[in-house]
Amino acid sequence: MTDGDRGPNSFSREAWARNAAAYETIRTMPFNGELAAGTLRQDRFRHYIVQDAHYLIGFGRALSLAAAKAPDPDGIVQFSRAAQDAIVVERALHGGFFRDYGIGPETFAGTPLTPACHHYVSYLLATAYAEPFEVLCAALLPCFWIYKAVGDDIFARAVADNPYRAWIDTYAGEEFAAAVAGMIAATDRAAEQASPGTLARMHDAFTQATRLEWLFWDSAYRDAAWPL
């Protein structure tokens, strides 16, 4: 993309197009198909929900660092609120499943991060510390956008009495949609003034985070753990 090609939403459009095949792989992977059908084994979802709760702590930290790097007050407020939502709002969602599955604070604290979760969190935090604001936005965006796209897709085909309805409704809901739209807009604004080199790093970050989204769900489906 050249400077002359840039316009509103140009980064997000191109980033999604470059990773459309990866998204389709995510959309159709067994974890999400069985989640929509309500047939996903409870132990697989339990694995996922515990690791997701661990992930959101790291995600919240990365969002807080994005707030600190934001170039204007509106960005500070936006990313600070996103960090709060990651820790407080989504914790309520996880808390309901934790109660259903009998997962207490000690059990949660004693469950280590899987390789996939550790990799994703470490990648986001490394990006937050080492990369400029623009690249960090691109690395954070797939978690918002892919969850929204997957949530909408699952909502459209989910069975009525789905045991995972609370999860489905959260990510297909209007509040999350507004947060995703805000994140896309913030990333596009950051890309508008980015140098060609920074823009290339933004695309690399978006692609890497997209891969890690797939890895996270795949890991939960396979109940992947450390081999040693």
Side-chain angles (χ1 to χ4, degrees), residues 4-195:
D5 296 327
R6 297 191 202 182
N9 309 117
S10 60
F11 173 81
S12 61
R13 286 199 308 268
E14 183 171 349
W16 189 266
R18 289 188 185 190
N19 292 276
Y23 166 69
E24 184 62 16
T25 299
I26 291 170
R27 187 188 72 82
T28 57
M29 65 194 307
F31 186 97
N32 290 322
E34 292 176 18
L35 182 64
T39 59
L40 183 68
R41 282 185 357 214
Q42 188 181 101
D43 62 310
R44 284 174 168 156
F45 189 79
R46 185 184 187 277
H47 173 116
Y48 160 79
I49 210 74
V50 170
Q51 291 302 311
D52 196 44
H54 278 301
Y55 165 82
L56 286 172
I57 296 171
F59 188 59
R61 289 193 175 106
L63 287 165
S64 295
L65 290 165
K69 289 188 172 186
D72 55 66
D74 288 343
I76 295 171
V77 171
Q78 178 183 356
F79 284 93
S80 296
R81 285 177 175 168
Q84 176 179 322
D85 288 346
I87 302 298
V88 177
V89 176
E90 295 197 52
R91 179 180 287 174
L93 171 66
H94 291 85
F97 285 112
F98 277 21
R99 287 190 297 273
D100 292 343
Y101 300 155
I103 302 170
E106 291 184 359
T107 300
F108 173 69
T111 303
L113 276 65
T114 61
C117 184
H118 188 275
H119 187 173
Y120 202 170
V121 169
S122 296
Y123 171 71
L124 290 179
L125 291 177
T127 303
Y129 280 109
E131 294 286 358
F133 175 73
E134 297 90 343
V135 178
L136 177 54
C137 286
L140 292 167
L141 181 55
C143 184
F144 284 91
W145 201 352
I146 290 176
Y147 259 67
K148 175 58 180 168
V150 168
D152 286 345
D153 179 74
I154 290 177
F155 182 83
R157 56 190 171 118
V159 296
D161 57 347
N162 196 302
Y164 307 115
R165 174 60 61 181
W167 186 97
I168 296 166
D169 289 347
T170 294
Y171 293 111
E174 292 183 3
E175 288 188 14
F176 189 61
V180 174
M183 186 64 196
I184 292 171
T187 306
D188 280 329
R189 285 194 300 271
E192 286 177 5
Q193 303 302 321
S195 69

